[in-house]
Amino acid sequence: MSKRIPLPMPFGWFQVAYSHELAVAESKPLRYFDTDLVMFRTESGEVKVLDAYCPHMGAHLGYGIRGQAGGGSEVRGDSIICPFHGWAYNGEGKCTDVPYANNPPPRVARCETVIKPWHVREMNQCIFVWYHPQDIEPAFEPDRVPEAAADNSEWGSLKIHEWDIATHTQEVGENSVDAAHFLYVHGTQNIPTPDVTEFDGIRRRSRLVSKMQTPRGEITGVIDNANVGPGQAVVRFSGICDTVLMANLTPVDEENCKAFYAFIQKKVDGKEPVGGVADAIVADIRKQMEEDRIIWARKKYFEKPMLCDNDGPFARFRKWYGQFLV
């Protein structure tokens, strides 16, 4: 049986959690990239991610017992403790303690890496992990989003929404160059006008301009969408209520992904905008995601779609995206 979406998972930096979701000395299980993982925050505050299974006898490090039951395994110092036999591992995947052994295994004695560690970056109040199917070292870095800095007093707190999406991340990304679908899927007043489309190395940028009817009359809204690799996207809405959306996508496996959407809106007179247009923008994007999910979950990927003259630059987008597919 042929696959509905015959594409491999892309490589790059991908969000796996928000910073506030992982406290000091806390651990949690993850499943992304068709792999079981465990993340933990050391007592000094650093986030670490490892493959999930203890090399001793295969226990999952993301699930605690006894005093840790219902949560992750214990974190002590810079190491996570296996709930099965108490072996300890640091963020580099090295065993730091076998509490009952007189003669630890040779690889432990030689301080070798015995669990695969994953590259981690914590920025924009998010936790990112580098994935490459051949375990190649990071080829680029995720971008910092100034509006998402925890100490930025001009912008409000993150308004977070998440979706599990039954499709490949490329299919979701193609929406950004598909102006026509806004009219037919989302019922906009017109087809937004593409103003900018740029593909530059690992970066991609587009701008859509659309007329919108509001209680204040017709307003020209601008949507700037920028990607760094396939996993990080920042969308800036201007024209009504300045809004920044971190719209990050992470592969769960080849045909499923997770969308991490965090809206940040500019404060007015030192206060976060509440209600009215501010909430309407968030509600509209959420509505659009639910509409898109109906299409994504059931559409088939065509390598050579039958495009017409006013379709978006799908060929250019796929060529750009293809650099991240091994």
Side-chain angles (χ1 to χ4, degrees):
M1 180 174 166
S2 62
K3 294 174 65 176
R4 183 169 63 92
I5 308 172
L7 296 170
M9 289 184 290
F11 70 81
W13 288 101
F14 299 98
Q15 183 178 348
V16 296
Y18 290 98
S19 295
H20 73 268
E21 294 177 319
L22 190 67
V24 169
E26 185 177 26
S27 68
K28 289 188 175 183
L30 300 172
R31 183 166 179 83
Y32 291 106
F33 323 115
D34 210 11
T35 303
D36 290 317
L37 307 169
V38 60
M39 69 173 176
F40 64 99
R41 193 182 293 278
T42 67
E43 290 189 351
S44 63
E46 292 185 272
V47 178
K48 305 292 183 180
V49 176
L50 301 173
D51 274 1
Y53 297 105
C54 175
H56 174 218
M57 293 187 67
H60 196 303
L61 298 175
Y63 296 90
I65 59 171
R66 297 169 57 200
Q68 303 289 131
S73 294
E74 178 186 357
V75 176
R76 189 183 307 151
D78 68 351
S79 297
I80 187 169
I81 313 301
C82 176
F84 201 5
H85 296 93
W87 291 34
Y89 302 92
N90 65 17
E92 286 67 56
K94 297 178 180 180
C95 183
T96 56
D97 187 29
V98 183
Y100 57 88
N102 294 321
N103 296 296
R107 293 183 66 195
V108 173
R110 293 194 297 266
C111 295
E112 294 181 8
T113 295
V114 293
I115 305 179
K116 176 185 171 181
W118 293 66
H119 295 281
V120 178
R121 300 288 186 271
E122 186 170 15
M123 60 177 66
N124 309 329
Q125 303 183 60
C126 301
I127 298 169
F128 293 90
V129 164
W130 171 263
Y131 167 76
H132 194 289
Q134 299 170 346
D135 290 336
I136 290 174
E137 294 288 299
F140 57 91
E141 291 293 323
D143 268 3
R144 293 194 177 276
V145 179
E147 298 91 341
D151 60 354
N152 190 329
S153 61
E154 295 183 6
W155 290 78
S157 56
L158 305 186
K159 298 178 181 179
I160 293 171
H161 301 278
E162 300 175 357
W163 289 268
D164 295 314
I165 304 176
T167 195
H168 189 279
T169 50
Q170 178 177 313
E171 292 276 70
V172 179
E174 287 188 0
N175 258 26
S176 62
V177 294
D178 185 0
H181 94 282
F182 284 96
L183 174 62
Y184 299 99
V185 177
H186 305 311
T188 56
Q189 290 183 314
N190 49 47
I191 296 176
T193 304
D195 184 43
V196 174
T197 303
E198 298 174 347
F199 299 88
D200 182 15
I202 62 166
R203 300 178 183 277
R204 186 202 70 82
R205 176 173 171 253
S206 64
R207 174 184 292 166
L208 294 176
V209 179
S210 180
K211 300 289 185 180
M212 296 174 287
Q213 291 296 332
T214 75
R216 288 176 267 168
E218 187 177 75
I219 291 178
T220 299
V222 178
I223 304 172
D224 272 300
N225 189 321
N227 284 84
V228 180
Q232 185 184 20
V234 181
V235 187
R236 290 180 167 87
F237 302 86
S238 57
I240 304 177
C241 173
D242 287 347
T243 300
V244 174
L245 167 60
M246 295 191 295
N248 299 330
L249 294 173
T250 302
V252 174
D253 53 40
E254 289 185 353
E255 293 202 359
N256 294 276
C257 63
K258 183 165 185 173
F260 294 88
Y261 275 30
F263 296 85
I264 318 165
Q265 295 178 312
K266 194 165 187 178
K267 293 181 178 179
V268 179
D269 297 326
K271 297 180 180 179
E272 293 197 32
V274 177
V277 173
D279 287 353
I281 291 173
V282 176
D284 187 57
I285 300 301
R286 292 178 63 193
K287 176 185 76 71
Q288 290 186 24
M289 281 294 287
E290 295 300 335
E291 293 163 345
D292 285 327
R293 287 176 74 203
I294 296 171
I295 303 294
W296 289 328
R298 295 161 179 85
K299 76 182 293 293
K300 184 177 177 63
Y301 177 83
F302 287 154
E303 185 177 347
K304 295 181 179 180
M306 188 169 61
L307 300 175
C308 71
D309 58 346
N310 284 322
D311 281 321
F314 287 95
R316 292 177 65 195
F317 179 87
R318 289 185 175 185
K319 182 179 180 181
W320 174 82
Y321 203 97
Q323 70 183 302
F324 305 107
L325 303 177
V326 177

